Amino acid sequence: MPDARPPSARCRVVVLISGRGSNLQAIIDAMHAGNLPIELCAVISNRAQAAGLQRARDAGIAAEVINHQGYADRESFDRALAARVDDFHPDLIVLAGFMRVLSRWFIERYRGRLMNIHPSLLPAFPGLSTHERALAAGVKEHGATVHFVTAEVDSGPIIVRAAVPVLPADTPSSLAARVLEQEHRIYPLAIKWFAEGRLLVRGGDVLLDGKPAAPPASSGGIATKSLKDL
Ligand code: GRF
């Protein structure tokens, strides 16, 4: 991935949210713990009520709202969003519970530097209600995935996955809580790898330090070794 930053400069990151912001908090906490060498320039939400905005303000980070309801269509909202994002000159744009489908225009503009986290072991269960669907399907293993964003929803080159067991007594909320704990570990980790210039997208795959970043979900080796990094 091209990296135009001078070696001494920190990776500039803008985070997009729509709600609670617990992944944003995990990113802020990792930064404060000295584990994440980034400059978090701004948090932008499409919803004024997003609790994550207060998390950003509490950490002294610029927090702004661009309400999608004020725009005639998806692309005009995306253009306004991109204009504001660009004001911060980010190296990386992080989607952390951003609940708007982005236009192809927006995705192409930030190709290779737009990351998302999804609460399933992609390619299984793209879309919404992943925990309900995992339980209904009777899978033994579920989890979360960080990936670069491409035009198809919840697809794109996979950076890291973390698996959790599905237990017999699980409800959607107990399973969601187990998955969320892993989200909070792998998102800062993926961002750290990007910031350190260790990720390379080749074809549809991501290389970490020149080796495939995400082993197949069934291999049992999901990110276990890498998680010790953080
Ligand atoms: C997370 O489960 C994330 O995987 C999904 O939306 C949720 C956002 O949660 N994309 P939070 O706002 O980070 O707490």
Side-chain angles (χ1 to χ4, degrees):
M1 194 166 303
D3 190 344
R5 274 179 293 130
S8 59
R10 288 194 165 228
C11 177
R12 296 174 63 81
V13 176
V14 169
V15 178
L16 305 185
I17 62 167
S18 299
R20 172 178 67 177
S22 71
N23 278 286
L24 167 67
Q25 190 66 56
I27 294 164
I28 292 170
D29 291 347
M31 270 169 55
H32 288 170
N35 290 328
L36 194 50
I38 61 168
E39 185 173 341
L40 214 174
C41 307
V43 172
I44 303 175
S45 172
N46 65 312
R47 291 181 58 241
Q49 316 86 307
L53 289 166
Q54 193 55 43
R55 297 179 189 265
R57 292 187 188 114
D58 289 347
I61 299 161
E64 301 188 2
V65 177
I66 303 179
N67 184 348
H68 63 272
Q69 290 166 327
Y71 295 85
D73 53 32
R74 190 175 301 282
E75 188 149 332
S76 52
F77 167 71
D78 283 8
R79 284 187 187 271
L81 179 62
R84 192 61 187 129
V85 164
D86 290 348
D87 286 339
F88 295 98
H89 303 289
D91 301 294
L92 176 67
I93 296 96
V94 167
L95 305 180
F98 186 69
M99 302 305 286
R100 295 274 308 162
V101 173
L102 290 161
S103 60
R104 187 174 288 267
W105 174 85
F106 189 97
I107 291 166
E108 281 306 318
R109 182 179 187 83
Y110 300 112
R111 176 181 275 277
R113 54 196 188 102
L114 182 59
M115 259 186 209
N116 183 44
I117 189 157
H118 181 76
S120 78
L121 292 174
L122 289 173
F125 310 118
L128 298 174
S129 308
T130 57
H131 310 304
E132 286 84 346
R133 286 156 60 211
L135 288 174
V139 295
K140 301 263 177 304
E141 217 179 34
H142 187 45
T145 304
V146 180
H147 63 98
F148 285 113
V149 177
T150 54
E152 216 172 293
V153 175
D154 297 326
S155 77
I158 290 174
I159 302 164
V160 60
R161 276 182 289 213
V164 299
V166 178
L167 304 179
D170 265 332
T171 61
S173 64
S174 67
L175 185 54
R178 197 173 308 121
V179 170
L180 194 62
E181 216 174 290
Q182 295 306 314
E183 293 187 35
H184 296 165
R185 302 182 72 185
I186 62 175
Y187 218 178
L189 181 60
I191 295 166
K192 175 173 182 273
W193 288 339
F194 183 95
E196 292 171 342
R198 294 164 66 187
L199 299 180
L200 188 72
V201 181
R202 184 169 302 157
D205 297 322
V206 178
L207 304 182
L208 167 65
D209 298 333
K211 303 195 189 85
S218 58
S219 75
I222 304 164
T224 313
K225 208 168 96 221
S226 318
L227 285 174
K228 289 183 193 145
D229 280 14
L230 198 68

